[in-house]
Amino acid sequence: MSQTQIPVAKPVLDEQEVEAVRRVILSGWVTQGPEVAAFEKEFAEFVGTDHACAVSNCTTALHLALKVVGVGAGDEVVTVSHSFIATANAIRYCGGVPVFIDIERDGFNIDSELIEVAITPRTKAILCVHQLGMPCDLRRIVEIGQRHAIPVIEDAACASGSEILWDGQWEKIGKPHGDIACFSFHPRKVVTTGDGGMLTTANPEYDRKFRLWRQHGMSVTDAVRHGSKQVIYENYPELGYNYRMTDMQAAVGREQLKRLPALVARRRQLAALYAKHLGSIPAMSLPVEPVWARSNWQSYCVRLPPEWDQRDTMQALLDKGISTRRGVMNIHLEDAYTDTRSHRVVGNLQESVAAQERTVILPLFAQMTDNDVSRIVDALRDCAPICNLAAAQVG
Ligand SMILES: *Cc1c(COP(=O)(O)O)cnc(C)c1O
């Protein structure tokens, strides 16, 4: 029996998104304009904040966030190596130095115990990541930031729709609980605009800067100039960038935002189902959700039993039509970071390295059926002896 291929992820895009883009194209206004403004307003309401500024992707969002809190040449930013490379690259765009600390032993998020050791007089920000959609320990991180008067920026690239328990209330990631949160709408995330990003903040001055910088530092927006009955000459008070989101992307984003609660609900069901079935595989270590967190389960990442080979496991699953990915990368091990002046490492990052070597991301997307989960878990259980055999042969 030939079974269908199961990809590791798959965006939910349908006629509603097509219709939204069609409307924008036929309107004749295709770049940053009324759709971007509406998407921003709706996203701000969704996360429960006053200001949301749409940009071209999360990497540019991170760049602007770091710049607005004053990260410049030689300044340090405490963050993790165990993240997508964009997290640290954005610090380097500002001329700053990423200071890498380790992650927690049983999760994939920053170990907040290690932050204070890494702080120096040069520290200008803490950049924490809600890795794979799982909220990091914001309560402690924000407290540390406040104690040292260092701003906290949240890399919430994966965390649209995730929640954290805050003063007894469930709140959306992005409120924000730190000073600024940065989101991604890349197709590998829970909702997508093709590419796209969002900055949320409670600080109106930060928001004003984001809007200036994302459009070349230009004093008036295209939309304002276009709509004006009076001639307006723009000026450029500051160095800016072209980090705009287009109205076509924003129109897709608005449809995706409508889907987000249902997508997260289904992903949470699937994650619970994985946990139930995978519990029967001895020594397989499953991701845990702290009592104060509700993940959107952007990815479901397991730690393999010690004797299982990572590559063999992934290949055995692929042979059965099931795509997986290695766990999160470690930035300090990449060639772009071999120059030791490019970053600083605090401690040995052993949990970060172990997590990359011992983990596999299993398929998880809203269109998956309960049966798909069973099939994946069965395949994983079946491949245990294969992996052991391969390890024995090598040994
Ligand atoms: C995807 C991702 C980014 C980059 O997002 P883009 O929108 O592709 O720029 C940054 N940080 C983390 C943790 C990510 O997962």
Side-chain angles (χ1 to χ4, degrees):
M1 191 182 72
S2 86
Q3 284 185 303
T4 49
Q5 197 79 19
I6 304 179
V8 75
K10 194 174 177 179
V12 177
L13 292 164
D14 211 334
E15 292 298 334
Q16 289 89 324
E17 283 78 6
V18 174
E19 190 46 49
V21 176
R22 186 185 147 80
R23 181 184 75 226
V24 171
I25 290 174
L26 295 177
S27 80
W29 190 281
V30 286
T31 193
Q32 181 187 292
E35 292 288 337
V36 166
F39 183 34
E40 289 170 341
K41 187 165 169 291
E42 289 158 10
F43 195 86
E45 277 166 18
F46 176 77
V47 298
T49 193
D50 287 339
H51 307 287
C53 177
V55 287
S56 48
N57 55 65
C58 183
T59 310
T60 54
L62 289 167
H63 181 194
L64 297 188
L66 291 158
K67 185 176 154 90
V68 90
V69 301
V71 176
D75 291 333
E76 294 187 342
V77 178
V78 177
T79 191
V80 284
S81 171
H82 192 68
S83 185
F84 184 58
I85 198 163
T87 305
N89 283 353
I91 298 167
R92 290 175 66 186
Y93 297 165
C94 296
V97 180
V99 176
F100 295 131
I101 64 173
D102 213 350
I103 57 167
E104 301 159 316
R105 169 166 282 252
D106 52 358
F108 303 107
N109 279 330
I110 191 166
D111 185 345
S112 56
E113 301 274 343
L114 304 175
I115 294 175
E116 286 192 285
V117 183
I119 290 175
T120 73
R122 303 230 60 155
T123 309
K124 276 283 168 61
I126 298 166
L127 176 54
C128 57
V129 183
H130 303 299
Q131 197 56 257
L132 309 175
M134 184 69 77
C136 63
D137 189 2
L138 273 177
R139 171 65 69 190
R140 286 211 53 200
I141 297 165
V142 166
E143 186 196 293
I144 293 167
Q146 280 169 352
R147 187 146 18 103
H148 293 265
I150 297 169
V152 172
I153 299 170
E154 301 168 49
D155 181 340
C158 302
S160 293
S162 296
E163 295 179 331
I164 189 161
L165 193 60
W166 204 263
D167 298 334
Q169 302 279 336
W170 284 104
E171 296 186 342
K172 294 279 184 320
I173 291 297
K175 193 166 171 72
H177 300 91
D179 294 84
I180 304 161
C182 303
F183 293 88
S184 172
F185 307 122
H186 182 273
R188 184 63 184 83
K189 319 298 180 182
V190 173
V191 283
T192 185
T193 58
D195 262 305
M198 192 73 81
L199 287 138
T200 64
T201 182
N203 184 325
E205 184 54 20
Y206 286 175
D207 185 66
R208 193 185 68 76
K209 292 275 192 181
F210 298 151
R211 288 166 196 284
L212 183 67
W213 290 339
R214 72 174 166 179
Q215 194 182 11
H216 307 289
M218 186 172 160
S219 58
V220 291
T221 66
D222 292 330
V224 166
R225 190 172 50 181
H226 176 79
S228 175
K229 293 280 175 287
Q230 244 127 43
V231 172
I232 299 179
Y233 288 171
E234 76 281 13
N235 53 62
Y236 301 84
E238 289 183 43
L239 177 68
Y241 307 87
N242 180 355
Y243 284 176
R244 283 178 303 231
M245 175 183 278
T246 70
D247 258 21
M248 293 179 285
Q249 291 168 303
V252 172
R254 296 178 69 192
E255 295 302 323
Q256 292 276 291
L257 196 55
K258 290 183 203 161
R259 296 186 194 279
L260 184 53
L263 293 179
V264 171
R266 178 61 186 151
R267 301 181 77 94
R268 291 183 59 77
Q269 281 177 347
L270 289 164
L273 205 57
Y274 262 132
K276 190 174 143 205
H277 292 329
L278 286 170
S280 64
I281 303 181
M284 178 79 72
S285 168
L286 309 182
V288 263
E289 191 173 58
V291 289
W292 43 263
R294 283 185 188 153
S295 181
N296 65 3
W297 295 105
Q298 182 265 341
S299 288
Y300 195 86
C301 188
V302 298
R303 285 178 167 80
L304 298 175
E307 68 279 14
W308 290 31
D309 182 79
Q310 184 186 46
R311 187 183 286 267
D312 291 342
T313 305
M314 293 173 68
Q315 187 62 51
L317 290 172
L318 193 58
D319 292 344
K320 295 187 174 192
I322 298 160
S323 292
T324 58
R325 293 286 179 276
R326 210 149 72 116
V328 177
M329 63 183 293
N330 285 305
I331 301 168
H332 74 288
L333 300 179
E334 293 298 320
D335 283 351
Y337 283 75
T338 43
D339 185 341
T340 51
R341 287 166 305 183
S342 69
H343 65 281
R344 192 159 70 81
V345 170
V346 176
N348 58 15
L349 306 185
Q350 64 177 19
E351 301 300 340
S352 301
V353 173
Q356 183 180 13
E357 289 172 356
R358 299 300 314 150
T359 58
V360 170
I361 293 175
L362 302 178
L364 202 159
F365 47 93
Q367 307 93 318
M368 261 170 73
T369 63
D370 292 8
N371 254 340
D372 289 334
V373 174
S374 304
R375 186 180 141 199
I376 293 160
V377 175
D378 287 347
L380 207 48
R381 196 182 291 112
D382 286 353
C383 84
I386 300 174
C387 298
N388 289 340
L389 195 63
Q393 280 164 353
V394 170

